[in-house]
Structures are given as structure tokens and as C-alpha cells.
Amino acid sequence: MSEAAYTKQDVLNKAKELGRLISKTEEVDFFKKAETKINQNLKVQELIGKIKNKQKQAVNLQHYQKHEALKQVEKEIEELNQEIDEIPLVQEFKQSQTEVNHLLQLVSTTISNTVTDEIIESTGGDKLQGTTNKSPFIDIN
């Protein structure tokens, strides 16, 4: 077994560097532009405000066990959410969120798979089997 070549801090520093790199990708740039447009759009901001107010009402109604009124407010929230989701700008924003999340998931999966492969290789294991070293319990003829 070889000595560790890197410290946890070395890895964290590389992770920060990778984070800065990701923040300068096309996906993140598109997300930032879409978020700016969302924040500047009066109709979207008005609908977000209405939704927040209705959510506060819902919390109060639930607290006071006003079940029928709560059902009505929840229905209004759902209608407002549908209305906001139909706005092309909001659809664009949600798509940009999905693309950034996909990129982050891809990076995470790639790191995980690479670490696993490195462990298997360094212990004389079998990548195809996904095992580290040969098990004494498996009879191989």
C-alpha cells in the first residue's frame, strides 16, 4: 500500500477550483441570465408574491384547523403555480436549472466512478466484477 499523495485539504482546494470552473460554464451562464430576467419580470414577481402570501395563509389556516378554507387556498396556490409555469421565461429558467443540476450530477458521478476504479485497480481487483481483490470465498476454476 502506498502513502497518501494528497491531504483532504488538497482535495478540497481542487474541489473549489472545479467549482469555479463549473461556475464559468455555458450552463451556469445561461442560468444566471435566466435568473436575472426572472427577477426583473414584474408579472413573475407579482405571481411569486401572491404565491408567498397564499402559502402564509395556508400555514395559518392549517394551524387553526380551518380545513375547508385551507383546501380553497391550496387550490388557489396550485392555480397560481400553473399560471407561473406557463410563462415562457419561467420555463426557460427551470430548464436552465435542470441543465446545471445535470452537469453537477455528471461531475459527481464521474468523481465517484473514478475513485471506485482507482480503488479497484490499486488493490488488484477486477473492474468488471466491481471487486477489490480476489475473494477467498469464490471458487474460480
Side-chain angles (χ1 to χ4, degrees):
M1 204 46 106
S2 65
E3 290 290 316
Y6 300 101
T7 66
K8 185 189 327 184
Q9 191 59 51
D10 291 335
V11 173
L12 292 175
N13 289 341
K14 287 291 185 184
K16 288 177 183 178
E17 185 180 328
L18 182 58
R20 286 188 291 274
L21 187 72
I22 290 169
S23 74
K24 294 176 181 158
T25 61
E26 184 178 331
E27 291 84 354
V28 172
D29 187 54
F30 185 72
F31 171 81
K32 290 191 290 190
K33 288 176 182 172
E35 184 178 40
T36 297
K37 288 178 188 175
I38 286 279
N39 290 335
Q40 293 173 348
N41 186 290
L42 295 178
K43 172 110 174 121
V44 172
Q45 291 307 308
E46 177 187 331
L47 287 169
I48 290 171
K50 286 181 180 180
I51 291 168
K52 286 180 180 179
N53 285 335
K54 293 292 179 185
Q55 288 171 333
K56 286 178 187 175
Q57 284 179 14
V59 168
N60 288 333
L61 291 169
Q62 188 173 26
H63 177 73
Y64 293 109
Q65 298 181 1
K66 305 281 185 178
H67 301 293
E68 289 305 312
L70 177 59
K71 283 181 188 176
Q72 177 60 36
V73 169
E74 287 174 339
K75 182 178 180 232
E76 291 171 15
I77 291 170
E78 181 61 32
E79 289 169 357
L80 288 168
N81 278 321
Q82 281 181 307
E83 185 178 346
I84 204 168
D85 285 344
E86 290 172 3
I87 298 172
L89 185 60
V90 172
Q91 293 169 0
E92 185 179 299
F93 175 73
K94 287 185 174 189
Q95 179 61 34
S96 73
Q97 279 182 312
T98 300
E99 289 173 12
V100 169
N101 286 337
H102 178 72
L103 175 61
L104 293 172
Q105 187 61 49
L106 182 62
V107 168
S108 177
T109 300
T110 302
I111 291 170
S112 178
N113 290 344
T114 302
V115 169
T116 299
D117 289 349
E118 290 292 321
I119 291 170
I120 290 170
E121 283 180 17
S122 70
T123 58
D126 183 343
K127 275 192 195 179
L128 294 177
Q129 295 285 327
T131 57
T132 47
N133 45 26
K134 292 187 175 134
S135 172
F137 303 109
I138 299 175
D139 185 25
I140 302 174
N141 291 329

